[in-house]
Amino acid sequence: MNTVIKGFKYRIYPTEKQEIQLNKTFGCVRFVYNQILAKKIDLYKEDKDNKQLKNKTTCNNYCNRELKKEYPWLKEVDKFALTNSIYNLDNAYKKFFTEHIGFPKFKSKKNHYYSYITNFTNNNIKVDFNNNKIQLPKLKWIKAKLHREFKGKILFATVSKTPSGKYFVSFNVECEHQELKQNNNKIAMDLGIKDLLITSNGTKIDNKKLTYKYEQKLAKLQRQIAKKKIGSQNWKKQRIKIARLHEKITNTRKDNLHKISHKMIKENQLIFSENLNIKGMVKNHNLAKSIHDCGWYELTRQLTYKSEWNGRKYHKVDRYYPSSQLCNVCGYKNEDTKNLNIRFWECPQCNTKHDRDENASINILNQGLKELELEKVS
Ligand SMILES: [Zn+2]
């Protein structure tokens, strides 16, 4: 047994009164975030070394002492939500200067996805699995669909509203985890665009088929909304329909990725993949959509934490290792395969016939094992 932090997400069904309170909280969180960001920018313009809103504590004090006095309605919502919003902003702001990540943007009402984070202290959050309800600060009991139970200590909860108007609570819970049984198997995968992935034992997993029919439907809805007057009742209805379908596609893909990563981790002790520079690749717009659809990033993320939970080793091979170009039998390097359209090729040296991706995944397995050996030696 080991202790891990797991996420548990549930749909909640607020009453009209609770819905008003939730939306008020989303609004206040956005308001405080934007107010402090604007103030930070002003102070910086006046004097680069200004100490006034220098860290998260001074920002939070500014909210408590100044903003709440000027805008007393801020006191009506969950105080942890405001503090967490401020901490997030401060974090993003610091990252801009230290890691040169994009400057924090003002939060807009128009993205239709709202959320806030609240902390667990003094039993202010309760989950009643027998009666399907959740208690959150300032909200009392909310009806919920608690489809799976957890045991453990709640650390914090994220409350969100999706663009189609559904509400969710997701808990980060510290819980005990029973590791999967050890085994002696190993596997590598080549993450492709045509197929989601091809494993070194020849299994192909297609992600596209799964959501094809939804995507056809989505395209149709998008053609219809283009003909409607922006902001009209019909346009609003259509927007919700589209949002609902988007959510459906995202969830179906994510569920599928969970099934894949679970199976990989359950059946294998060692798991290898390429080390993709996903951020760099997404900048290439032709590839961007396919990569986004495949969920490469999500899959590698799941493999990372699931392998940690279960005492597995997930290793990504050297980014510059040419897994697609080498013949896995004799090692001949075929530069022609740099062309992504070449799906099959025959090795001119040993005459082995290769499926591009299957060959690549076998190479990744061999290279991964070699790298782990080297790691052991050094
Ligand atoms: Zn060969």
Side-chain angles (χ1 to χ4, degrees), residues 327 330 332 347 350:
C327 165
C330 72
Y332 175 82
C347 175
C350 72

mmCIF file of all heavy atoms in Angstrom, residues 327 330 332 347 350, ligand 1:
data_model
loop_
_atom_site.group_PDB
_atom_site.id
_atom_site.type_symbol
_atom_site.label_atom_id
_atom_site.label_comp_id
_atom_site.label_asym_id
_atom_site.label_seq_id
_atom_site.Cartn_x
_atom_site.Cartn_y
_atom_site.Cartn_z
ATOM 1 N N CYS A 327 15.949 0.030 -39.479
ATOM 2 C CA CYS A 327 15.391 -1.316 -39.618
ATOM 3 C C CYS A 327 15.645 -2.035 -38.289
ATOM 4 O O CYS A 327 16.778 -2.081 -37.817
ATOM 5 C CB CYS A 327 16.097 -2.047 -40.767
ATOM 6 S SG CYS A 327 15.797 -3.832 -40.763
ATOM 7 N N CYS A 330 18.266 -5.296 -38.915
ATOM 8 C CA CYS A 330 19.697 -5.193 -39.200
ATOM 9 C C CYS A 330 20.285 -3.811 -38.883
ATOM 10 O O CYS A 330 21.494 -3.625 -38.954
ATOM 11 C CB CYS A 330 19.969 -5.536 -40.665
ATOM 12 S SG CYS A 330 19.398 -4.249 -41.795
ATOM 13 N N TYR A 332 19.842 -0.976 -40.554
ATOM 14 C CA TYR A 332 20.003 -0.090 -41.716
ATOM 15 C C TYR A 332 19.172 1.185 -41.511
ATOM 16 O O TYR A 332 18.046 1.120 -41.009
ATOM 17 C CB TYR A 332 19.548 -0.835 -42.984
ATOM 18 C CG TYR A 332 19.566 0.022 -44.224
ATOM 19 C CD1 TYR A 332 20.756 0.222 -44.938
ATOM 20 C CD2 TYR A 332 18.395 0.646 -44.684
ATOM 21 C CE1 TYR A 332 20.773 1.025 -46.068
ATOM 22 C CE2 TYR A 332 18.404 1.443 -45.818
ATOM 23 C CZ TYR A 332 19.594 1.634 -46.505
ATOM 24 O OH TYR A 332 19.608 2.428 -47.615
ATOM 25 N N CYS A 347 13.398 -3.230 -46.282
ATOM 26 C CA CYS A 347 14.781 -2.901 -45.989
ATOM 27 C C CYS A 347 15.669 -3.371 -47.138
ATOM 28 O O CYS A 347 15.662 -4.546 -47.484
ATOM 29 C CB CYS A 347 15.208 -3.553 -44.684
ATOM 30 S SG CYS A 347 16.949 -3.310 -44.326
ATOM 31 N N CYS A 350 18.416 -6.150 -45.609
ATOM 32 C CA CYS A 350 18.059 -7.508 -45.158
ATOM 33 C C CYS A 350 16.707 -7.967 -45.713
ATOM 34 O O CYS A 350 16.239 -9.051 -45.378
ATOM 35 C CB CYS A 350 18.070 -7.595 -43.642
ATOM 36 S SG CYS A 350 16.694 -6.747 -42.847
HETATM 37 ZN ZN ZN B 1 17.226 -4.495 -42.415
#
